[in-house]
Amino acid sequence: MICLRRLKTRSWSRQLLTTSPSLLPQLSPPSRSLITSLLSQLRPAPPSPSCPRSLSSLLSQLRPAPPSPSCPRSLSSLRITYILKDGTEQTVTAEKGDNVMYLAHKHNIEIEGACEGSLACCTCHVYVDPEFYDRIPEPTEDEEDMLDMAPELSDNSRLSCQIVLDEELDGIRITLPRITRNFYVDGHVPQPH
């Protein structure tokens, strides 16, 4: 069955609604009911400001449903929890292929990353939850060399710039160390890429 939440783009939704009514039987019952209702409200006129019930205005009213076992959240949507230096947790949504360090910068989480991921420092040192540690590819020799410089090194230490998210890492927990080797001494704040 096709889940309404998986209608990823409005253009795909528009195509389904207008040119593929034969796909309606493949929708889940709640989605089928909603689409049938929307189809019955469509007017033949093209979308315009004078036609508030146009297809585009109806599509803008669609909201994703909460995840359920019969219709899980988007396959590319992953969760990562950062445990900050003060012990508070910040959970963010990520996509497959996101880099843990750059994702932290994007969400204003204090991971420095002075070398911007070029394996020339240890300022993005983090601790990986032991449950997930073996799911990450082994560190390279270059990463191990940089980790040797990290204060408070542990068995589950990694450089966050070298952790790339995939489905196996959904729900990973990353702990920021109490102290780091800080190379930015002039108040520089890394900008998200």
Side-chain angles (χ1 to χ4, degrees):
M1 294 182 80
I2 297 173
C3 179
L4 183 61
R5 191 174 20 263
R6 292 190 182 147
L7 302 180
K8 293 182 179 178
T9 64
R10 290 188 181 200
S11 61
W12 197 90
S13 302
R14 186 177 298 112
Q15 180 183 4
L16 172 71
L17 290 171
T18 58
T19 64
S20 305
S22 62
L23 290 178
L24 280 176
Q26 296 179 36
L27 293 170
S28 63
S31 299
R32 187 179 320 128
S33 173
L34 176 62
I35 296 295
T36 303
S37 170
L38 291 173
L39 284 172
S40 69
Q41 297 176 29
L42 292 178
R43 294 184 183 179
S48 71
S50 63
C51 182
R53 301 303 291 178
S54 67
L55 177 61
S56 59
S57 69
L58 291 173
L59 287 174
S60 70
Q61 296 173 19
L62 294 177
R63 301 281 186 269
S68 71
S70 63
C71 186
R73 70 179 187 276
S74 167
L75 295 177
S76 63
S77 178
L78 307 171
R79 288 171 295 118
I80 178 172
T81 299
Y82 293 92
I83 302 169
L84 308 179
K85 293 176 185 184
D86 64 3
T88 60
E89 296 183 4
Q90 184 173 347
T91 301
V92 300
T93 302
E95 298 296 322
K96 179 180 177 182
D98 280 349
N99 175 295
V100 170
M101 181 186 73
Y102 293 133
L103 191 63
H105 292 175
K106 179 179 176 183
H107 293 280
N108 297 317
I109 295 169
E110 292 187 26
I111 294 179
E112 184 176 334
C115 73
E116 297 187 2
S118 65
L119 280 174
C121 75
C122 63
T123 60
C124 67
H125 168 236
V126 295
Y127 303 115
V128 176
D129 186 309
E131 177 185 343
F132 292 92
Y133 188 84
D134 291 332
R135 300 181 197 180
I136 300 170
E138 292 284 324
T140 63
E141 188 175 335
D142 289 338
E143 181 180 356
E144 288 177 343
D145 289 346
M146 291 299 108
L147 281 169
D148 286 342
M149 297 189 315
E152 296 191 356
L153 192 63
S154 175
D155 290 340
N156 61 337
S157 289
R158 289 299 296 267
L159 296 181
S160 61
C161 67
Q162 299 302 302
I163 303 172
V164 177
L165 298 174
D166 62 20
E167 290 86 3
E168 286 189 33
L169 298 177
D170 184 24
I172 190 171
R173 296 170 59 82
I174 299 290
T175 303
L176 278 59
R178 291 181 310 116
I179 59 173
T180 61
R181 179 171 297 223
N182 186 330
F183 287 128
Y184 289 141
V185 293
D186 60 356
H188 175 78
V189 177
Q191 296 300 312
H193 294 279

PDB file of all heavy atoms in Angstrom, residues 2 21 29 38 45 57 59 68 70 77 83 104 106 114 118-119 121 124-125 139 145 151 155 159-160 191:
ATOM      1  N   ILE A   2       0.439   2.279  -0.652  1.00  0.00           N
ATOM      2  CA  ILE A   2       1.140   3.553  -0.663  1.00  0.00           C
ATOM      3  C   ILE A   2       0.633   4.373   0.509  1.00  0.00           C
ATOM      4  O   ILE A   2      -0.562   4.498   0.721  1.00  0.00           O
ATOM      5  CB  ILE A   2       0.884   4.316  -1.979  1.00  0.00           C
ATOM      6  CG1 ILE A   2       1.453   3.512  -3.150  1.00  0.00           C
ATOM      7  CG2 ILE A   2       1.503   5.697  -1.930  1.00  0.00           C
ATOM      8  CD1 ILE A   2       1.102   4.112  -4.497  1.00  0.00           C
ATOM      9  N   PRO A  21      -5.744   8.149 -11.175  1.00  0.00           N
ATOM     10  CA  PRO A  21      -6.751   7.737 -10.202  1.00  0.00           C
ATOM     11  C   PRO A  21      -6.751   6.226  -9.959  1.00  0.00           C
ATOM     12  O   PRO A  21      -7.239   5.762  -8.950  1.00  0.00           O
ATOM     13  CB  PRO A  21      -8.071   8.212 -10.820  1.00  0.00           C
ATOM     14  CG  PRO A  21      -7.774   8.480 -12.247  1.00  0.00           C
ATOM     15  CD  PRO A  21      -6.318   8.761 -12.348  1.00  0.00           C
ATOM     16  N   PRO A  29      -6.421   3.094   3.698  1.00  0.00           N
ATOM     17  CA  PRO A  29      -7.824   3.564   3.779  1.00  0.00           C
ATOM     18  C   PRO A  29      -7.968   5.019   4.207  1.00  0.00           C
ATOM     19  O   PRO A  29      -8.717   5.762   3.581  1.00  0.00           O
ATOM     20  CB  PRO A  29      -8.473   2.597   4.768  1.00  0.00           C
ATOM     21  CG  PRO A  29      -7.668   1.341   4.608  1.00  0.00           C
ATOM     22  CD  PRO A  29      -6.253   1.799   4.347  1.00  0.00           C
ATOM     23  N   LEU A  38     -10.645  15.168  -1.428  1.00  0.00           N
ATOM     24  CA  LEU A  38      -9.980  16.273  -2.126  1.00  0.00           C
ATOM     25  C   LEU A  38     -10.350  16.289  -3.608  1.00  0.00           C
ATOM     26  O   LEU A  38     -10.591  17.345  -4.189  1.00  0.00           O
ATOM     27  CB  LEU A  38      -8.472  16.182  -1.965  1.00  0.00           C
ATOM     28  CG  LEU A  38      -7.930  16.452  -0.565  1.00  0.00           C
ATOM     29  CD1 LEU A  38      -6.441  16.154  -0.508  1.00  0.00           C
ATOM     30  CD2 LEU A  38      -8.196  17.877  -0.143  1.00  0.00           C
ATOM     31  N   ALA A  45     -11.189  24.753 -13.114  1.00  0.00           N
ATOM     32  CA  ALA A  45     -10.400  25.943 -13.444  1.00  0.00           C
ATOM     33  C   ALA A  45      -8.974  25.785 -12.936  1.00  0.00           C
ATOM     34  O   ALA A  45      -8.740  25.140 -11.921  1.00  0.00           O
ATOM     35  CB  ALA A  45     -11.042  27.175 -12.819  1.00  0.00           C
ATOM     36  N   SER A  57      -4.133  24.774  -3.511  1.00  0.00           N
ATOM     37  CA  SER A  57      -4.563  25.130  -2.157  1.00  0.00           C
ATOM     38  C   SER A  57      -4.984  23.888  -1.377  1.00  0.00           C
ATOM     39  O   SER A  57      -4.762  23.808  -0.176  1.00  0.00           O
ATOM     40  CB  SER A  57      -5.693  26.153  -2.185  1.00  0.00           C
ATOM     41  OG  SER A  57      -6.874  25.579  -2.688  1.00  0.00           O
ATOM     42  N   LEU A  59      -3.692  20.848  -1.837  1.00  0.00           N
ATOM     43  CA  LEU A  59      -2.457  20.148  -1.507  1.00  0.00           C
ATOM     44  C   LEU A  59      -1.737  20.819  -0.344  1.00  0.00           C
ATOM     45  O   LEU A  59      -1.104  20.154   0.468  1.00  0.00           O
ATOM     46  CB  LEU A  59      -1.531  20.080  -2.722  1.00  0.00           C
ATOM     47  CG  LEU A  59      -1.956  19.116  -3.818  1.00  0.00           C
ATOM     48  CD1 LEU A  59      -1.035  19.262  -5.018  1.00  0.00           C
ATOM     49  CD2 LEU A  59      -1.945  17.683  -3.315  1.00  0.00           C
ATOM     50  N   SER A  68       3.619   5.471  12.252  1.00  0.00           N
ATOM     51  CA  SER A  68       2.903   4.327  12.799  1.00  0.00           C
ATOM     52  C   SER A  68       3.542   3.073  12.228  1.00  0.00           C
ATOM     53  O   SER A  68       4.219   3.130  11.208  1.00  0.00           O
ATOM     54  CB  SER A  68       1.418   4.391  12.438  1.00  0.00           C
ATOM     55  OG  SER A  68       1.258   4.137  11.056  1.00  0.00           O
ATOM     56  N   SER A  70       2.291   0.737  10.532  1.00  0.00           N
ATOM     57  CA  SER A  70       1.829   0.437   9.178  1.00  0.00           C
ATOM     58  C   SER A  70       2.346   1.436   8.156  1.00  0.00           C
ATOM     59  O   SER A  70       2.300   1.178   6.968  1.00  0.00           O
ATOM     60  CB  SER A  70       0.298   0.416   9.139  1.00  0.00           C
ATOM     61  OG  SER A  70      -0.196   1.704   9.459  1.00  0.00           O
ATOM     62  N   SER A  77      14.744   9.748   6.715  1.00  0.00           N
ATOM     63  CA  SER A  77      14.743  10.561   7.928  1.00  0.00           C
ATOM     64  C   SER A  77      15.333   9.754   9.085  1.00  0.00           C
ATOM     65  O   SER A  77      14.834   8.691   9.431  1.00  0.00           O
ATOM     66  CB  SER A  77      13.317  10.996   8.258  1.00  0.00           C
ATOM     67  OG  SER A  77      13.295  11.738   9.433  1.00  0.00           O
ATOM     68  N   ILE A  83      24.352  14.509  23.313  1.00  0.00           N
ATOM     69  CA  ILE A  83      24.339  14.748  24.757  1.00  0.00           C
ATOM     70  C   ILE A  83      25.390  15.829  25.004  1.00  0.00           C
ATOM     71  O   ILE A  83      26.589  15.615  24.800  1.00  0.00           O
ATOM     72  CB  ILE A  83      24.631  13.460  25.536  1.00  0.00           C
ATOM     73  CG1 ILE A  83      23.579  12.400  25.153  1.00  0.00           C
ATOM     74  CG2 ILE A  83      24.631  13.738  27.042  1.00  0.00           C
ATOM     75  CD1 ILE A  83      23.898  11.022  25.640  1.00  0.00           C
ATOM     76  N   ALA A 104      25.874  18.991  13.582  1.00  0.00           N
ATOM     77  CA  ALA A 104      25.957  19.712  14.860  1.00  0.00           C
ATOM     78  C   ALA A 104      26.094  21.213  14.614  1.00  0.00           C
ATOM     79  O   ALA A 104      25.420  22.017  15.261  1.00  0.00           O
ATOM     80  CB  ALA A 104      27.146  19.201  15.679  1.00  0.00           C
ATOM     81  N   LYS A 106      25.056  22.869  12.046  1.00  0.00           N
ATOM     82  CA  LYS A 106      23.765  23.342  11.516  1.00  0.00           C
ATOM     83  C   LYS A 106      22.763  23.611  12.638  1.00  0.00           C
ATOM     84  O   LYS A 106      21.938  24.512  12.541  1.00  0.00           O
ATOM     85  CB  LYS A 106      23.221  22.289  10.553  1.00  0.00           C
ATOM     86  CG  LYS A 106      21.890  22.618   9.943  1.00  0.00           C
ATOM     87  CD  LYS A 106      21.461  21.516   8.988  1.00  0.00           C
ATOM     88  CE  LYS A 106      20.077  21.765   8.433  1.00  0.00           C
ATOM     89  NZ  LYS A 106      19.642  20.655   7.563  1.00  0.00           N
ATOM     90  N   ALA A 114      37.823  22.560  13.926  1.00  0.00           N
ATOM     91  CA  ALA A 114      38.717  23.606  13.429  1.00  0.00           C
ATOM     92  C   ALA A 114      39.237  23.333  12.023  1.00  0.00           C
ATOM     93  O   ALA A 114      39.409  24.248  11.235  1.00  0.00           O
ATOM     94  CB  ALA A 114      39.893  23.796  14.385  1.00  0.00           C
ATOM     95  N   SER A 118      39.072  17.817   7.706  1.00  0.00           N
ATOM     96  CA  SER A 118      40.193  17.362   6.874  1.00  0.00           C
ATOM     97  C   SER A 118      41.167  16.459   7.638  1.00  0.00           C
ATOM     98  O   SER A 118      42.259  16.200   7.165  1.00  0.00           O
ATOM     99  CB  SER A 118      40.932  18.566   6.291  1.00  0.00           C
ATOM    100  OG  SER A 118      41.522  19.318   7.337  1.00  0.00           O
ATOM    101  N   LEU A 119      40.785  15.990   8.812  1.00  0.00           N
ATOM    102  CA  LEU A 119      41.609  15.119   9.647  1.00  0.00           C
ATOM    103  C   LEU A 119      42.943  15.761  10.021  1.00  0.00           C
ATOM    104  O   LEU A 119      43.991  15.129   9.962  1.00  0.00           O
ATOM    105  CB  LEU A 119      41.848  13.769   8.958  1.00  0.00           C
ATOM    106  CG  LEU A 119      40.705  12.775   9.069  1.00  0.00           C
ATOM    107  CD1 LEU A 119      40.990  11.545   8.224  1.00  0.00           C
ATOM    108  CD2 LEU A 119      40.450  12.383  10.507  1.00  0.00           C
ATOM    109  N   CYS A 121      42.981  17.816  12.994  1.00  0.00           N
ATOM    110  CA  CYS A 121      42.846  18.221  14.389  1.00  0.00           C
ATOM    111  C   CYS A 121      41.967  17.217  15.115  1.00  0.00           C
ATOM    112  O   CYS A 121      41.485  16.252  14.517  1.00  0.00           O
ATOM    113  CB  CYS A 121      42.259  19.636  14.505  1.00  0.00           C
ATOM    114  SG  CYS A 121      40.486  19.734  14.166  1.00  0.00           S
ATOM    115  N   CYS A 124      36.784  17.972  17.048  1.00  0.00           N
ATOM    116  CA  CYS A 124      35.415  17.446  16.904  1.00  0.00           C
ATOM    117  C   CYS A 124      35.281  16.092  17.600  1.00  0.00           C
ATOM    118  O   CYS A 124      34.361  15.331  17.315  1.00  0.00           O
ATOM    119  CB  CYS A 124      35.019  17.355  15.436  1.00  0.00           C
ATOM    120  SG  CYS A 124      35.947  16.125  14.498  1.00  0.00           S
ATOM    121  N   HIS A 125      36.182  15.818  18.532  1.00  0.00           N
ATOM    122  CA  HIS A 125      36.180  14.560  19.286  1.00  0.00           C
ATOM    123  C   HIS A 125      34.857  14.388  20.029  1.00  0.00           C
ATOM    124  O   HIS A 125      34.367  15.325  20.662  1.00  0.00           O
ATOM    125  CB  HIS A 125      37.355  14.581  20.278  1.00  0.00           C
ATOM    126  CG  HIS A 125      37.320  13.506  21.295  1.00  0.00           C
ATOM    127  ND1 HIS A 125      37.345  13.761  22.644  1.00  0.00           N
ATOM    128  CD2 HIS A 125      37.264  12.163  21.166  1.00  0.00           C
ATOM    129  CE1 HIS A 125      37.317  12.631  23.306  1.00  0.00           C
ATOM    130  NE2 HIS A 125      37.259  11.639  22.436  1.00  0.00           N
ATOM    131  N   PRO A 139      38.004   3.335  12.391  1.00  0.00           N
ATOM    132  CA  PRO A 139      38.725   4.583  12.128  1.00  0.00           C
ATOM    133  C   PRO A 139      39.965   4.316  11.268  1.00  0.00           C
ATOM    134  O   PRO A 139      40.609   3.279  11.403  1.00  0.00           O
ATOM    135  CB  PRO A 139      39.115   5.089  13.517  1.00  0.00           C
ATOM    136  CG  PRO A 139      38.988   3.918  14.428  1.00  0.00           C
ATOM    137  CD  PRO A 139      38.020   2.965  13.799  1.00  0.00           C
ATOM    138  N   ASP A 145      45.479   8.801  14.578  1.00  0.00           N
ATOM    139  CA  ASP A 145      46.561   9.735  14.917  1.00  0.00           C
ATOM    140  C   ASP A 145      46.007  11.010  15.540  1.00  0.00           C
ATOM    141  O   ASP A 145      46.566  11.538  16.509  1.00  0.00           O
ATOM    142  CB  ASP A 145      47.396  10.089  13.678  1.00  0.00           C
ATOM    143  CG  ASP A 145      48.258   8.932  13.200  1.00  0.00           C
ATOM    144  OD1 ASP A 145      48.432   7.950  13.955  1.00  0.00           O
ATOM    145  OD2 ASP A 145      48.740   9.003  12.043  1.00  0.00           O
ATOM    146  N   PRO A 151      41.960  15.150  24.418  1.00  0.00           N
ATOM    147  CA  PRO A 151      41.931  14.959  25.864  1.00  0.00           C
ATOM    148  C   PRO A 151      40.783  14.008  26.231  1.00  0.00           C
ATOM    149  O   PRO A 151      39.775  13.932  25.530  1.00  0.00           O
ATOM    150  CB  PRO A 151      41.671  16.370  26.409  1.00  0.00           C
ATOM    151  CG  PRO A 151      41.102  17.142  25.278  1.00  0.00           C
ATOM    152  CD  PRO A 151      41.559  16.483  24.015  1.00  0.00           C
ATOM    153  N   ASP A 155      37.540   4.392  24.891  1.00  0.00           N
ATOM    154  CA  ASP A 155      37.402   3.304  23.914  1.00  0.00           C
ATOM    155  C   ASP A 155      36.366   3.613  22.846  1.00  0.00           C
ATOM    156  O   ASP A 155      36.425   3.064  21.750  1.00  0.00           O
ATOM    157  CB  ASP A 155      37.019   1.999  24.616  1.00  0.00           C
ATOM    158  CG  ASP A 155      38.153   1.443  25.460  1.00  0.00           C
ATOM    159  OD1 ASP A 155      39.316   1.831  25.227  1.00  0.00           O
ATOM    160  OD2 ASP A 155      37.871   0.621  26.350  1.00  0.00           O
ATOM    161  N   LEU A 159      36.147  10.908  15.892  1.00  0.00           N
ATOM    162  CA  LEU A 159      36.052  12.277  15.398  1.00  0.00           C
ATOM    163  C   LEU A 159      34.709  12.381  14.689  1.00  0.00           C
ATOM    164  O   LEU A 159      34.415  11.608  13.765  1.00  0.00           O
ATOM    165  CB  LEU A 159      37.209  12.592  14.443  1.00  0.00           C
ATOM    166  CG  LEU A 159      38.603  12.555  15.056  1.00  0.00           C
ATOM    167  CD1 LEU A 159      39.649  12.913  14.003  1.00  0.00           C
ATOM    168  CD2 LEU A 159      38.715  13.473  16.261  1.00  0.00           C
ATOM    169  N   SER A 160      33.891  13.336  15.107  1.00  0.00           N
ATOM    170  CA  SER A 160      32.534  13.446  14.541  1.00  0.00           C
ATOM    171  C   SER A 160      32.563  13.774  13.056  1.00  0.00           C
ATOM    172  O   SER A 160      31.617  13.454  12.331  1.00  0.00           O
ATOM    173  CB  SER A 160      31.713  14.469  15.313  1.00  0.00           C
ATOM    174  OG  SER A 160      32.294  15.751  15.243  1.00  0.00           O
ATOM    175  N   GLN A 191      30.833  27.949  10.812  1.00  0.00           N
ATOM    176  CA  GLN A 191      29.554  28.154  10.128  1.00  0.00           C
ATOM    177  C   GLN A 191      29.121  26.845   9.472  1.00  0.00           C
ATOM    178  O   GLN A 191      29.955  26.131   8.920  1.00  0.00           O
ATOM    179  CB  GLN A 191      29.693  29.235   9.054  1.00  0.00           C
ATOM    180  CG  GLN A 191      30.025  30.608   9.605  1.00  0.00           C
ATOM    181  CD  GLN A 191      28.952  31.101  10.559  1.00  0.00           C
ATOM    182  OE1 GLN A 191      27.774  31.039  10.274  1.00  0.00           O
ATOM    183  NE2 GLN A 191      29.380  31.582  11.720  1.00  0.00           N
TER     184      GLN A 191
END
